[in-house]
Amino acid sequence: MKIGIYGGSFNPVHFGHVGLAKWVIENTDLDELWFLVTPNNPLKPADTLAPENERLAAVREAVKEIPHVVVSDFEFSLPRPSYTANTLRELQKAYPDHQFTLVIGEDNLTIFPQWREYEFILSHFRIFVFPRHSTESRHPVSFNNAKDLRFLSEAPYFDISSTEIRNKNS
């Protein structure tokens, strides 16, 4: 089974996350897309996060009617902070018959070398990259050792971010 891993804080989840999930399921070879709600992103301050169970419940509510989209608290039982390389290793152990593809925004791709063990991720997993900026400002990053790095250039661009939503509500 081909599983897309769409990890994040989802603080809060919004229509961009939901719209992208629908598009990915309808337009790629993935059988399922798993929203992995992270309890603690090592690249973000923990004191800005809503409680993990509230974020998990909000994501479940937001995607409950989308076929082939699963919401997971898999990282809740892993050591913190949540490093994607560790999560992917544990997913492989728990689901050895699944092929995992990491689904990230191009904003994350630009900081990918800051991720712990990013070379391991690049060499062992497919990565789908969706647009996070306007087309004019898109500058694809190249990684020579990537197993399979695909830009989802046809994916819709959603001009919204969780940070913007939090800032408007504060």
Side-chain angles (χ1 to χ4, degrees), residues 89-128:
R89 279 190 187 94
E90 293 302 318
L91 283 167
Q92 283 184 311
K93 287 180 196 171
Y95 304 96
D97 295 332
H98 291 11
Q99 176 188 352
F100 293 102
T101 299
L102 189 60
V103 179
I104 63 172
E106 69 181 328
D107 54 331
N108 276 308
L109 188 62
T110 62
I111 62 166
F112 207 66
Q114 295 176 29
W115 290 27
R116 181 173 284 191
E117 296 183 80
Y118 79 96
E119 300 96 342
F120 165 77
I121 299 168
L122 284 171
S123 63
H124 289 85
F125 298 92
R126 291 192 312 171
I127 302 174
F128 288 173

Side-chain angles (χ1 to χ4, degrees), residues 7-22:
S9 304
F10 304 107
N11 186 44
V13 65
H14 54 69
F15 71 84
H17 298 128
V18 175
L20 181 73
K22 288 179 186 176

Side-chain angles (χ1 to χ4, degrees), residues 47-164:
D47 61 350
T48 64
L49 292 175
E52 61 196 41
N53 287 320
E54 288 179 20
R55 291 182 286 118
L56 182 70
V59 175
R60 283 188 172 138
E61 181 63 26
V63 301
K64 68 182 179 187
E65 305 211 4
I66 306 173
H68 310 289
V69 173
V70 175
V71 179
S72 173
D73 63 358
F74 188 83
E75 285 190 338
F76 287 22
S77 63
L78 298 180
R80 296 177 191 197
S82 303
Y83 294 106
T84 302
N86 294 344
T87 300
L88 291 169
R89 279 190 187 94
E90 293 302 318
L91 283 167
Q92 283 184 311
K93 287 180 196 171
Y95 304 96
D97 295 332
H98 291 11
Q99 176 188 352
F100 293 102
T101 299
L102 189 60
V103 179
I104 63 172
E106 69 181 328
D107 54 331
N108 276 308
L109 188 62
T110 62
I111 62 166
F112 207 66
Q114 295 176 29
W115 290 27
R116 181 173 284 191
E117 296 183 80
Y118 79 96
E119 300 96 342
F120 165 77
I121 299 168
L122 284 171
S123 63
H124 289 85
F125 298 92
R126 291 192 312 171
I127 302 174
F128 288 173
V129 182
F130 59 88
R132 285 288 289 144
H133 305 289
S134 68
T135 308
E136 299 79 43
S137 67
R138 203 173 305 159
H139 299 289
V141 177
S142 176
F143 294 99
N144 294 333
N145 58 340
K147 175 181 178 175
D148 188 355
L149 182 64
R150 296 184 192 178
F151 287 88
L152 304 178
S153 56
E154 301 300 316
Y157 167 67
F158 295 98
D159 191 16
I160 188 168
S161 74
S162 295
T163 302
E164 290 172 6

